[in-house]
Amino acid sequence: MPEKLRALVERFGGERRLLVVGVGVAAILAVLGFARWASAPEWVPLFPGMPLDRVAEVTPKLDDAGIAYRLEKGGAEIRVRDSDLAKARVLLAKDGYPSKARPGFELFDQPSWGMTDFTQRVNYRRALEGELERTISQMRGIEAAQVHLALQEATPFRDERRPEQASVVVRTRGGARPSADVVDGIASLVASSVDGLEADNVAVLDDAGHLLSGGAPGSSDGLTKRQLALRREVESYLEQKTEELVGQVVGPENVRVRVAAMLNFDRVESTVQSVDPDAQVATREEKTEITPGPNTPGAASTATSATYDVTRRTETTTGGIGTIKRLTVAVLLNDRPAAKRGGAPQPRSADELARVEALVRNAVGIDTTRGDAISVVSIPFTVAPAPAPTANRPDLLTRLEEFQRPALMALGILLAFVIALKVLGALRPPREAPAEAVAELPAAEDAPEPGPQPAHPALTAPSLRQIAFAAEQPAMAARVIRAWMKD
């Protein structure tokens, strides 16, 4: 051991020496631990939601390629390093992983010798389901899909045939709920791909079992989802048109309109055949003449026969679907503001209400013969103050999660730096007070009591003379005190 290091170690006592060594070792271990944790690779899922049988097929391929992995969630999830994710996916995509979708129409690529008609129908349904699953899985935001078709067999021994039905279970990326347009598109796709299947008979569900489409079983009047959507669209259109018109008169903030529309979705076809007896047309006419000869007794005769066809008219009428059967309109007008400050609002006059009612009648097409009704009421609006917009600021926990690794790494480095400074300060030899400062400090007038004296002369109790010297020369006294504090 070098002499300087030996002298530095021997300067400390046994307990202090162990403390300094322990602090140094702890600082080194902390720095190494933080460095290893910060530089450790992040393990990410290879393919989320992979079945166990697929996991058993994938892991040998990763072993052969030398890609490290971890099995989590009871073996149902494979995690690889973030840097190896792209390499592992490209390697497995060559063998058709991870998806193990049902085959499509390639089922019929193989020879079908010996297959019965029932087997052919089952294979056709399987192939159609597989093709639909592939198409739906390629949609944006859809991770996987499973299609089930309930196709009825055409047989002459069955009088009544139930409508075709289908169900689709989708799993989205991130568990987000698909929008209504995407759900309607899936239902329309399945209905257009199966002969005799209607979009209303396609039930679309998510992987949690929530119904996303289909009929509306809870509606009291038995309307389907499309019919309810059409009804809401008609009501919204009439409300918006009425509010814009009346808002030009009373102000856009002083009117509220609600419309209830009853639509007719009955499909009615009527055929009328009528015959006009006055309009006849000869379609066939025969005329026969008999003329006796010169030696034949008898008179000449003429016989005429005609076939007439009367005029027939056939009319076929199909009732319009979605026509308005009845309208009910409710209009609320805000009272006029008070003439004086602090006064009560004044209700609108009857003439003004009548003018507004006439405008609404013409705007929405009120027909009293079909039972339409309208009501216009003036009441004071209670407008609550709009809440101040608050920006969506991320909370402290979210920020910590985002900057977890850099923050902990910086904290570990800072802690190690502080510990190193403390250790270096403890290893530094104590500095003694300047000799000239201690020499110029006047001695105490009173003799100290016999007994053990302090090691440093500055640690003795100050006398009156020393106090006076500090008052006369404060700069010198401050230098002495700083030297003591450093010791």
Side-chain angles (χ1 to χ4, degrees):
M1 182 182 295
E3 294 295 334
K4 293 184 179 181
L5 183 59
R6 183 188 302 274
L8 185 61
V9 173
E10 291 178 353
R11 180 176 298 180
F12 300 99
E15 297 180 355
R16 191 174 180 182
R17 186 184 308 166
L18 293 177
L19 179 62
V20 171
V21 174
V23 171
V25 172
I28 294 174
L29 292 178
V31 172
L32 293 178
F34 274 108
R36 183 175 181 181
W37 177 81
S39 60
E42 184 178 358
W43 296 84
V44 295
L46 179 59
F47 293 112
M50 183 182 295
L52 286 176
D53 55 346
R54 303 293 284 176
V55 172
E57 298 175 3
V58 167
T59 50
K61 297 182 178 296
L62 296 178
D63 292 333
D64 296 340
I67 299 177
Y69 62 89
R70 293 180 180 177
L71 295 178
E72 297 185 2
K73 296 183 179 179
E77 183 177 88
I78 302 178
R79 287 182 174 266
V80 298
R81 294 190 180 96
D82 191 11
S83 58
D84 296 337
L85 179 61
K87 178 181 178 182
R89 287 187 173 181
V90 171
L91 175 66
L92 297 176
K94 180 176 60 177
D95 298 329
Y97 293 91
S99 61
K100 190 178 181 181
R102 284 185 289 179
F105 283 107
E106 61 267 16
L107 283 173
F108 297 98
D109 294 342
Q110 304 296 330
S112 57
W113 306 109
M115 283 191 180
T116 63
D117 185 52
F118 175 76
T119 307
Q120 292 283 3
R121 290 196 303 269
V122 171
N123 286 340
Y124 173 75
R125 181 175 59 82
R126 290 177 55 199
L128 188 57
E129 291 174 348
E131 294 292 338
L132 290 174
E133 289 176 2
R134 293 178 182 176
T135 305
I136 296 174
S137 300
Q138 293 177 358
M139 294 183 179
R140 184 180 305 173
I142 304 298
E143 183 176 349
Q146 191 170 7
V147 180
H148 299 280
L149 300 178
L151 304 180
Q152 304 297 325
E153 297 182 8
T155 172
F157 301 102
R158 182 179 296 175
D159 296 337
E160 296 181 0
R161 182 174 179 177
R162 296 180 300 173
E164 311 288 351
Q165 295 179 347
S167 61
V168 182
V169 180
V170 296
R171 183 173 72 247
T172 58
R173 294 184 177 91
R177 186 182 182 92
S179 61
D181 295 338
V182 175
V183 174
D184 294 340
I186 293 174
S188 300
L189 171 66
V190 176
S192 302
S193 303
V194 180
D195 186 19
L197 179 61
E198 297 182 359
D200 294 335
N201 294 329
V202 179
V204 182
L205 300 88
D206 58 4
D207 54 350
H210 300 150
L211 182 64
L212 305 177
S213 73
S219 58
S220 58
D221 49 359
L223 299 180
T224 63
K225 185 178 180 179
R226 289 188 175 183
Q227 293 173 351
L228 287 175
L230 179 60
R231 179 176 176 178
R232 295 191 186 101
E233 184 179 355
V234 171
E235 293 174 350
S236 177
Y237 170 72
L238 294 177
E239 290 172 359
Q240 181 180 2
K241 183 172 69 172
T242 305
E243 287 185 357
E244 291 179 356
L245 179 63
V246 181
Q248 300 294 330
V249 180
V250 299
E253 300 296 331
N254 297 325
V255 58
R256 301 290 186 273
V257 180
R258 293 295 180 268
V259 178
M262 184 180 297
L263 305 182
N264 183 15
F265 296 101
D266 298 336
R267 183 186 297 272
V268 179
E269 295 182 0
S270 60
T271 302
V272 178
Q273 293 183 357
S274 59
V275 178
D276 189 0
D278 297 331
Q280 298 181 0
V281 178
T283 58
R284 182 180 179 184
E285 184 176 359
E286 296 180 357
K287 185 177 181 181
T288 303
E289 295 183 358
I290 300 176
T291 304
N295 298 322
T296 303
S301 63
T302 302
T304 304
S305 63
T307 302
Y308 295 92
D309 193 0
V310 296
T311 302
R312 295 181 178 86
R313 185 177 59 184
T314 303
E315 296 181 357
T316 302
T317 304
T318 302
I321 300 176
T323 58
I324 298 177
K325 295 175 60 177
R326 188 178 178 224
L327 283 179
T328 304
V329 184
V331 182
L332 293 180
L333 299 178
N334 190 15
D335 288 348
R336 290 185 174 274
K340 297 181 180 180
R341 188 174 183 179
Q346 301 296 325
R348 300 183 183 271
S349 61
D351 295 339
E352 187 174 3
L353 297 180
R355 290 197 299 269
V356 171
E357 181 177 348
L359 286 175
V360 176
R361 283 180 177 273
N362 296 329
V364 301
I366 295 295
D367 188 2
T368 55
T369 58
R370 64 186 181 190
D372 296 351
I374 181 175
S375 60
V376 182
V377 182
S378 176
I379 60 173
F381 289 177
T382 56
V383 181
T390 57
N392 295 330
R393 298 180 179 178
D395 53 357
L396 181 59
L397 293 178
T398 306
R399 288 297 183 92
L400 289 178
E401 290 178 357
E402 293 178 357
F403 304 100
Q404 179 182 7
R405 285 179 175 268
L408 291 179
M409 184 62 182
L411 181 61
I413 295 175
L414 180 60
L415 181 60
F417 183 72
V418 171
I419 293 175
L421 289 180
K422 292 294 184 181
V423 172
L424 291 177
L427 295 176
R428 184 180 302 173
R431 296 179 57 184
E432 298 181 356
E436 64 274 10
V438 179
E440 294 181 5
L441 186 65
E445 294 179 354
D446 301 332
E449 296 292 334
Q453 298 296 327
H456 201 285
L459 298 179
T460 58
S463 62
L464 296 176
R465 186 176 178 181
Q466 291 174 344
I467 295 175
F469 174 79
E472 292 176 359
Q473 299 182 7
M476 185 64 65
R479 291 178 60 189
V480 175
I481 293 174
R482 283 197 296 268
W484 293 346
M485 293 179 65
K486 289 181 179 180
D487 293 341

